[in-house]
Amino acid sequence: VIIPDGVRCLDNMAFAYCKSLKKITLQGRIDNCYFAVFRESGLEEIEGIEYLSGSRVSSGCFVGTPFYDANETLIIGDRLVWCRDDSETIIVPENVKRIGYLAFYSSKAKRIILPDGLEQIENLAFYNAAVTEMHIPDSVVKAGGGIFGGCSQLKKIRLPQDFGRRKGWHSY
């Protein structure tokens, strides 16, 4: 399937359950890749994946696909889309500036070490993760709602000193 330049949105479940779909080619920027776009499809390969770097894409777009199964961690541009690493400690690479929506959903990691240059944490980024402690770097200027939702083992959080006065921070 070729998605031509000019298409800016892949709507919810557009290719879901299409078992014969093996490859998509993106020819231009996609602004929104909604939840479950490729869910349970046969998708194995994405050509032009860099065109998703600015979009609202999450692991939910790809769950149940060979593409999702083959990529334990997915980083597009400077955005960590998902990380399913089952290590006790996960170190997020220095080039990551944004943690995506549900990026660490149900992660088994006890510690997730975020880079000092991180700028944004999207909604529900650590939802239901087993993390016990977290250090949010001072460089984070925007954090979405519910970033620690369902984190029942979380005991210690270090937030930037002035986080209460920062715009762009939602309740966590």
Side-chain angles (χ1 to χ4, degrees):
V1 172
I2 297 173
I3 311 287
D5 190 15
V7 173
R8 295 289 180 250
C9 176
L10 299 178
D11 212 348
N12 192 26
M13 300 187 76
F15 299 97
Y17 306 101
C18 293
K19 295 295 184 185
S20 61
L21 176 67
K22 301 298 180 201
K23 178 181 177 181
I24 63 163
T25 300
L26 301 173
Q27 296 183 326
R29 185 186 88 234
I30 302 293
D31 295 326
N32 290 298
C33 186
Y34 288 106
F35 191 76
V37 170
F38 301 104
R39 171 166 281 200
E40 302 290 333
S41 72
L43 184 66
E44 298 173 352
E45 181 183 353
I46 302 173
E47 184 178 319
I49 196 167
E50 66 275 6
Y51 289 121
L52 289 174
S53 67
S55 79
R56 294 215 21 112
V57 61
S58 74
S59 58
C61 293
F62 303 99
V63 169
T65 67
F67 178 79
Y68 181 78
D69 294 341
N71 292 283
E72 181 176 77
T73 299
L74 181 64
I75 297 171
I76 303 174
D78 65 357
R79 185 170 183 261
L80 182 118
V81 178
W82 72 72
C83 180
R84 296 179 293 113
D85 182 340
D86 283 337
S87 302
E88 185 154 318
T89 298
I90 295 172
I91 300 172
V92 176
E94 291 294 321
N95 65 318
V96 171
K97 302 292 182 209
R98 299 176 295 157
I99 303 288
Y101 174 75
L102 293 171
F104 289 95
Y105 174 73
S106 291
S107 172
K108 293 175 177 56
K110 299 292 182 195
R111 290 185 65 215
I112 300 171
I113 300 171
L114 304 175
D116 284 334
L118 184 69
E119 297 171 0
Q120 180 179 353
I121 302 171
E122 294 180 14
N123 294 349
L124 305 171
F126 305 101
Y127 188 78
N128 207 36
V131 67
T132 58
E133 64 180 74
M134 181 67 68
H135 170 118
I136 305 294
D138 290 337
S139 57
V140 174
V141 294
K142 187 174 182 183
I147 61 174
F148 298 114
C151 294
S152 60
Q153 298 178 51
L154 186 61
K155 293 176 178 47
K156 182 179 178 182
I157 304 172
R158 186 212 168 268
L159 297 168
Q161 288 186 322
D162 65 344
F163 94 97
R165 295 185 299 277
R166 292 183 182 199
K167 293 181 180 180
W169 279 75
H170 295 270
S171 61
Y172 55 89

